[in-house]
Amino acid sequence: MERSFLDLPFFAESHRAFATRLDVWAAQHLGHTHGLDVDDTCRQLVKALGDAGWLRYCVPASHGGALEKLDSRTLCLARETLGYYEGLADFSFAMQGLGSGAIGIAGSEALKQRYLPRVATGQAIAAFALSEPQAGSDVAAMAMTASLAGDTYVLNGEKTWISNGGIADFYTVFARTGEAPGARSISAFVVDANTPGLDVVARIDVIAPHPLATLRFSNCRIPVTNRLGEAGGGFKIAMQNLDIFRASVAAAALGFARRALDEAVKHAKSRKMFGQTLADFQLTQAALADMATSIDSAMLLTYRAAWLRDVKGERTTREAAMAKMVATEEAQKVIDRAVQMFGGQGVTSNHPVEKLYREIRALRIYEGATEVQKLIIARELLKG
Ligand code: COS
């Protein structure tokens, strides 16, 4: 994978070493799960990523992680590299982080001890259950309730579009506890997948298959101690978690786009037509130049957001939103151009660029659609 960008001052030596080690590992170990269904593929990938120690970057060192706290640049480098080699490897890595992030942010010591070390080794699969049928972009509109009854909370409602739904060992769940209207009455919880009253009621097939499901909670009882942080503090926890992982979605898009460009360059240099190679045509050169420039601009936004968070310790809501929007939108264009360059091969099922074409689409929607990122950027701008 192209790695000259690692010379930029955004990175420390440890990042360069990490990216190089992961690149070598990914080139050797990914892409060997053909023929398995999507659930088994993801289970195997979580195990492989856990055994090799990569999932330790998803949790803090105090609870089995590799670094003192989550490092945004490392998460981005991991997703970019894994995305380059295998979309589901990136997905499995990212969900361990997103699914356990709220525990790291606000969980009690007991919850951190119970879940995070197992996330770091791949022994437990994590999931983040925020969206509902009537509350996707508008998180504060969620309807699911958690009512206090003695020393338990009783959960009722539905969550949908839940990644790892069906294979997760536990879910970070957000529900309304009723302290105040809107965003201020949402609380966060950890719910084990085998808790009575929690059912996976539908699996959802999507353009690039991955484990995705609708969950139903019917009088599902969990101990009060499974709440993360204060009652009513769940919305902020969700947003803080998304602030970290949104920049990493940008990085995954970057990995997909880099792969598409590499495939396109290889093809352009070897494909003969009209007595020359595809790369000899100025139209091809113009396309490749646009693709490379899009990738570099997305890369700069992505690692700016990551660097700001790691080094300055600032809230990076605006920068992460810009990175996510630009990187996913540009990656879609880069990949589309690669498909076009490959002609008929480009739309053949399971051709590398055809797979990327399907993989990238959801990234413009999940963890805040492009339109939501625009709202977030404009809000931050106007509030100054
Ligand atoms: N970090 C910390 N706190 C934050 C925050 C952040 N990034 N974003 C918002 N908050 C706080 C606000 O400061 C506000 O606090 P106060 O009540 O103390 O003032 C509170 O949370 C409510 O914020 P806001 O009024 O901005 O909430 P809205 O309901 O208007 O929603 C958006 C804002 C659109 C940004 C939010 O709903 C969102 O991100 N939606 C997309 C969700 C998403 O990514 N879904 C995909 C699910 S995961 S695949």
Side-chain angles (χ1 to χ4, degrees), residues 240-381:
Q240 283 166 2
N241 200 25
L242 287 170
D243 277 351
I244 304 172
F245 286 94
R246 271 181 187 148
S248 80
V249 180
L254 205 50
F256 294 167
R258 278 196 203 285
R259 180 60 183 266
L261 178 61
D262 284 359
E263 296 287 338
V265 167
K266 239 187 325 181
H267 181 65
K269 284 179 169 172
S270 61
R271 172 78 166 146
K272 299 274 183 280
M273 60 168 63
F274 302 110
Q276 41 189 350
T277 65
L278 189 55
D280 292 322
F281 291 93
Q282 285 195 346
L283 280 176
T284 308
Q285 293 165 18
L288 292 173
D290 287 344
M291 291 158 84
T293 308
S294 289
I295 288 173
D296 275 14
S297 55
M299 176 273 291
L300 287 166
L301 282 175
T302 303
Y303 288 105
R304 173 185 71 159
W307 178 86
L308 270 175
R309 186 172 180 283
D310 292 341
V311 176
K312 294 278 182 189
E314 289 169 4
R315 184 166 148 184
T316 52
T317 306
R318 183 181 74 119
E319 290 79 7
M322 285 181 175
K324 199 233 171 216
M325 174 175 79
V326 172
T328 56
E329 293 291 333
E330 291 304 307
Q332 180 86 63
K333 290 182 210 152
V334 168
I335 294 166
D336 186 57
R337 280 198 134 137
V339 168
Q340 192 70 15
M341 233 178 260
F342 271 93
Q345 285 182 60
V347 288
T348 308
S349 295
N350 291 323
H351 186 280
V353 296
E354 186 269 349
K355 282 208 298 204
L356 291 166
Y357 187 77
R358 290 184 289 107
E359 294 275 6
I360 187 61
R361 191 62 187 84
L363 275 64
R364 292 167 53 205
I365 298 170
Y366 73 54
E367 285 181 46
T370 291
E371 293 71 13
V372 167
Q373 307 309 334
K374 288 187 182 179
L375 283 180
I376 292 171
I377 296 162
R379 268 183 194 202
E380 296 283 322
L381 207 63

Side-chain angles (χ1 to χ4, degrees), residues 29-43:
H29 291 86
L30 298 182
H32 300 311
T33 43
H34 304 297
L36 293 176
D37 73 18
V38 77
D39 289 4
D40 284 337
T41 300
C42 288
R43 285 191 188 99

Side-chain angles (χ1 to χ4, degrees), residues 68-266:
E68 189 190 332
K69 57 186 175 97
L70 294 199
D71 182 75
S72 197
R73 287 165 296 173
T74 305
L75 291 173
C76 287
L77 288 169
R79 293 200 62 182
E80 182 176 350
T81 308
L82 295 171
Y84 182 90
Y85 289 99
E86 188 172 353
L88 283 176
D90 161 59
F91 165 83
S92 296
F93 176 87
M95 287 316 304
Q96 291 297 92
L98 184 71
S100 69
I103 303 176
I105 292 170
S108 64
E109 184 53 32
L111 290 177
K112 285 180 181 167
Q113 280 183 18
R114 192 181 322 151
Y115 293 98
L116 298 183
R118 290 189 293 134
V119 168
T121 55
Q123 284 164 307
I125 296 183
F128 182 69
L130 183 69
S131 300
E132 296 187 4
Q134 298 304 322
S137 292
D138 185 3
V139 175
M142 76 173 55
M144 177 154 163
T145 55
S147 324
L148 197 53
D151 56 1
T152 60
Y153 274 105
V154 185
L155 306 182
N156 278 294
E158 233 176 56
K159 293 286 170 187
T160 194
W161 306 111
I162 306 309
S163 290
N164 275 346
I167 67 165
D169 293 290
F170 69 89
Y171 297 87
T172 310
V173 178
F174 296 82
R176 198 164 279 294
T177 36
E179 294 78 13
R184 290 197 172 150
S185 70
I186 292 168
S187 302
F189 304 92
V190 194
V191 184
D192 287 318
N194 59 7
T195 310
L198 163 54
D199 296 297
V200 175
V201 288
R203 291 296 298 261
I204 307 169
D205 290 329
V206 282
I207 181 167
H210 66 276
L212 195 65
T214 301
L215 313 176
R216 183 170 302 142
F217 296 80
S218 318
N219 292 324
C220 174
R221 282 179 181 273
I222 54 165
V224 173
T225 48
N226 276 28
R227 196 186 65 220
L228 300 170
E230 296 300 312
F235 186 89
K236 284 190 189 175
I237 295 170
M239 292 300 131
Q240 283 166 2
N241 200 25
L242 287 170
D243 277 351
I244 304 172
F245 286 94
R246 271 181 187 148
S248 80
V249 180
L254 205 50
F256 294 167
R258 278 196 203 285
R259 180 60 183 266
L261 178 61
D262 284 359
E263 296 287 338
V265 167
K266 239 187 325 181

